[in-house]
């Protein structure tokens, strides 16, 4: 029995619809395992701008800092997508949240449920068994270094900067995770060319001495991009810098077939934030067809990582697996073989998962 306080931050668009289902899953887990979960909600994104003029009001940030975990939806609204010059924007709320909460590690598990083998654009025989956990560094690198223009604006630069402690803290999390999995860690860099990558490799090599039970390989980012498509099952845990991770995790998301299936965790030393990788999906907002499985799988990550509830987390994942095995699909993952009666809306898909929990 554990007491935990969870902040639900739905944000915009289908974020509202999928986090509502995620909360029902949390309720069900609390009931089944005799935990006591309390909840609050907070505004972010367009919803927060409309209510307060600020994409991340101080009150929301304080609630995040005071909670044990955050279940996040998505931010975004067509109004801003069509107006790049808008000064106040929903995604500013997201970036500020990551910075203020010190979320330096982004975890993205890429696991293909067997039933969805045909939903990916990669051949099933190559994909079968793929199960990768990415650790992308989230608060350093070329995104946060000095940037600017010289030469009357005709030359531009972005400085990539890493310090040892930044590599060490995410490296340690990746090694720890590898220990609980197949004990393989692939550290991705470009150490043949970049100084930041040489520092990265030195630090990972140093950490490897502390984890002799974990098999470590160092791979260049270009060959990793190729191997992810050619032979995804060779990877277990992958750790990499912000820019490389940004690109490789989007590439790897295609292994799982659909945006509606992928969850992520952003963690640091304080409150962790758990969210689907998809956005607010204006095209399907309010239609009740959004796939809630990424939000449900985000709940599984939350239970495991922030609360150390491994059994509860595995139960949620196996309930999703069973629902898929029964042939139930939301519209985005249905194919020609799916019976019409098995194509479920957001709420019905949530109910199906709850039944198996
Ligand atoms: P998106 O992820 O919202 O949608 C891309 C496509 O995938 C759409 O066709 C959508 O219908 C579909 N899709 C996404 N999630 C789905 C789900 N759960 N079930 C079924 N189908 C799903 O990306 P986009 O269209 O490029 O962006 C829409 C808005 O979301 C923009 O304002 C963008 O800035 C924002 N966005 C936010 C985040 C975030 O909050 N982390 C991430 C990406 C995009």
């Amino acid at each position: 029995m554990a007491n935990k306080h969870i902040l639900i931050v739905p944000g915009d668009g289908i974020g509202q619809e999928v986090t509502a289902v995620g909360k029902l899953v949390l309720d069900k887990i609390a009931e089944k395992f005799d935990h006591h979960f309390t909840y609050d909600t907070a505004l972010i994104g367009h919803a927060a701008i409309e209510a307060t003029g600020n994409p991340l009001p101080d009150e929301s940030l304080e609630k995040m800092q005071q909670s044990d975990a955050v279940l996040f939806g998505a931010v975004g609204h067509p109004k801003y997508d069509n107006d790049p010059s808008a000064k106040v924007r929903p995604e500013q709320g997201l970036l500020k949240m990551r910075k203020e909460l010190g979320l330096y590690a982004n975890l993205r598990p890429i696991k293909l449920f067997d039933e969805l083998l045909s939903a990916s654009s990669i051949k099933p025989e190559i994909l079968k068994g793929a199960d990768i956990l990415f650790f992308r560094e989230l608060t350093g690198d070329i995104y946060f270094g000095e940037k600017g223009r010289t030469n009357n604006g005709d030359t531009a630069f972005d400085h990539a900067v890493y310090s040892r402690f930044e590599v060490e803290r995410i490296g340690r999390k990746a090694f720890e995770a590898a220990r609980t999995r197949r004990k393989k860690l692939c550290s991705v860099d470009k150490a043949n060319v970049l100084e930041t990558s040489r520092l990265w490799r030195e630090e990972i090599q140093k950490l490897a001495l502390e984890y002799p039970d974990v098999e470590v390989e160092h791979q260049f980012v270009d060959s990793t991009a190729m191997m992810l498509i050619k032979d995804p099952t060779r990877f277990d845990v992958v750790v990499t810098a912000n820019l490389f991770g940004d690109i490789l995790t989007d590439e790897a998301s295609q292994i799982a077939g659909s945006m509606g299936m992928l969850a992520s965790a952003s963690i640091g030393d304080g409150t962790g934030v758990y969210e689907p990788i998809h956005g607010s999906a204006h095209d399907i907002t309010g239609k009740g067809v959004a796939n809630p499985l990424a939000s449900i799988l985000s709940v599984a990550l939350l239970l495991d990582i922030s609360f150390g509830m491994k059994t509860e987390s595995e139960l949620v994942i196996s309930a999703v697996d069973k629902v898929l095995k029964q042939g139930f699909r939301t519209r985005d993952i249905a194919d020609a073989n799916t019976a019409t009666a098995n194509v479920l809306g957001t709420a019905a898909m949530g109910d199906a998962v709850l039944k198996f929990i």
Side-chain angles (χ1 to χ4, degrees):
M1 150 106 193
N3 290 310
K4 297 287 179 192
H5 183 65
I6 302 157
L7 188 68
I8 312 279
V9 185
D12 306 318
I14 65 165
Q16 300 275 346
E17 300 164 43
V18 298
T19 49
V21 177
K23 179 177 176 295
L24 293 177
V25 170
L26 283 165
D27 282 339
K28 188 79 182 173
I29 288 291
E31 181 195 320
K32 192 172 167 76
F33 290 86
D34 205 18
H35 296 311
H36 182 60
F37 292 165
T38 54
Y39 306 95
D40 197 354
T41 57
L43 291 171
I44 195 168
H46 171 69
I49 297 172
E50 289 290 289
T52 68
N54 182 346
L56 181 64
D58 291 346
E59 188 195 345
S60 295
L61 189 58
E62 277 159 28
K63 284 184 179 182
M64 288 171 182
Q65 283 158 339
Q66 285 157 12
S67 66
D68 293 313
V70 173
L71 182 66
F72 188 85
V75 294
H77 190 274
K79 184 169 142 183
Y80 309 91
D81 295 348
N82 301 330
D83 178 11
S85 66
K87 291 268 181 301
V88 181
R89 310 181 60 82
E91 55 270 27
Q92 289 164 348
L94 190 66
L95 293 179
K96 187 171 172 203
M97 173 182 80
R98 289 175 179 164
K99 190 162 182 289
E100 295 290 327
L101 295 181
L103 303 171
Y104 60 80
N106 182 243
L107 278 71
R108 203 182 273 195
I110 309 280
K111 185 167 160 25
L112 181 70
F113 289 91
D114 281 352
E115 286 64 35
L116 298 181
L117 273 174
S118 61
S120 173
S121 47
I122 305 172
K123 284 185 199 142
E125 60 270 28
I126 289 179
L127 281 183
K128 198 164 168 40
D131 180 0
I132 310 172
L133 177 58
F134 269 94
F135 279 77
R136 167 189 168 195
E137 202 287 329
L138 205 56
T139 52
D141 205 356
I142 197 162
Y143 292 0
F144 289 89
E146 193 190 337
K147 54 186 81 241
R149 299 266 179 126
T150 55
N151 192 22
N152 292 327
D154 291 341
T155 304
F157 63 91
D158 298 274
H159 281 170
V161 183
Y162 266 121
S163 297
R164 289 192 189 278
F165 80 95
E166 294 175 289
V167 185
E168 200 241 333
R169 63 186 181 181
I170 187 162
R172 198 170 284 287
K173 287 210 186 294
F175 271 103
E176 294 289 341
R179 263 196 173 155
T180 68
R181 292 170 48 100
R182 301 193 302 281
K183 299 190 170 50
K184 282 176 63 179
L185 179 72
C186 176
S187 172
V188 178
D189 61 36
K190 188 75 183 167
N192 50 342
V193 180
L194 301 177
E195 200 54 40
T196 42
S197 281
R198 286 194 270 271
L199 178 108
W200 181 279
R201 195 175 281 218
E202 276 169 31
E203 276 309 296
I204 299 291
Q205 281 170 340
K206 214 186 285 172
L207 276 176
L209 301 174
E210 292 181 42
Y211 298 86
D213 50 325
V214 176
E215 182 194 326
V216 184
E217 68 169 339
H218 300 272
Q219 198 166 333
F220 295 135
V221 61
D222 36 0
S223 74
T224 309
M226 182 267 292
M227 288 308 293
L228 273 172
I229 299 298
K230 188 165 180 260
D231 187 11
T233 57
R234 73 193 291 277
F235 295 101
D236 178 15
V237 177
V238 178
V239 64
T240 191
N242 202 347
L243 174 63
F244 299 154
D246 193 359
I247 299 164
L248 292 179
T249 54
D250 262 28
E251 181 193 356
S253 75
Q254 283 314 294
I255 294 172
S258 165
M259 301 274 279
M261 293 300 301
L262 282 178
S264 81
S266 298
I267 57 173
D269 294 321
T271 312
V273 176
Y274 300 85
E275 57 179 305
I277 71 154
H278 63 70
S280 49
H282 324 306
D283 51 338
I284 56 168
T285 296
K287 295 187 177 153
V289 298
N291 184 348
L293 294 178
S295 183
I296 292 174
L297 293 169
S298 302
V299 167
L301 283 177
L302 182 158
L303 291 167
D304 181 8
I305 299 172
S306 275
F307 297 171
M309 298 176 179
K310 193 94 190 150
T311 310
E312 290 86 332
S313 171
E314 281 168 2
L315 181 61
V316 173
I317 296 168
S318 89
V320 170
D321 197 28
K322 285 182 181 143
V323 164
L324 295 172
K325 280 207 169 74
Q326 296 269 314
F328 295 118
R329 302 281 186 273
T330 42
R331 208 172 63 175
D332 57 310
I333 49 172
D335 62 19
N337 300 319
T338 313
T340 316
N342 281 351
V343 180
L344 307 180
T346 311
M349 181 52 104
D351 286 347
V353 175
L354 291 178
K355 279 194 192 109
F356 282 107
I357 296 176

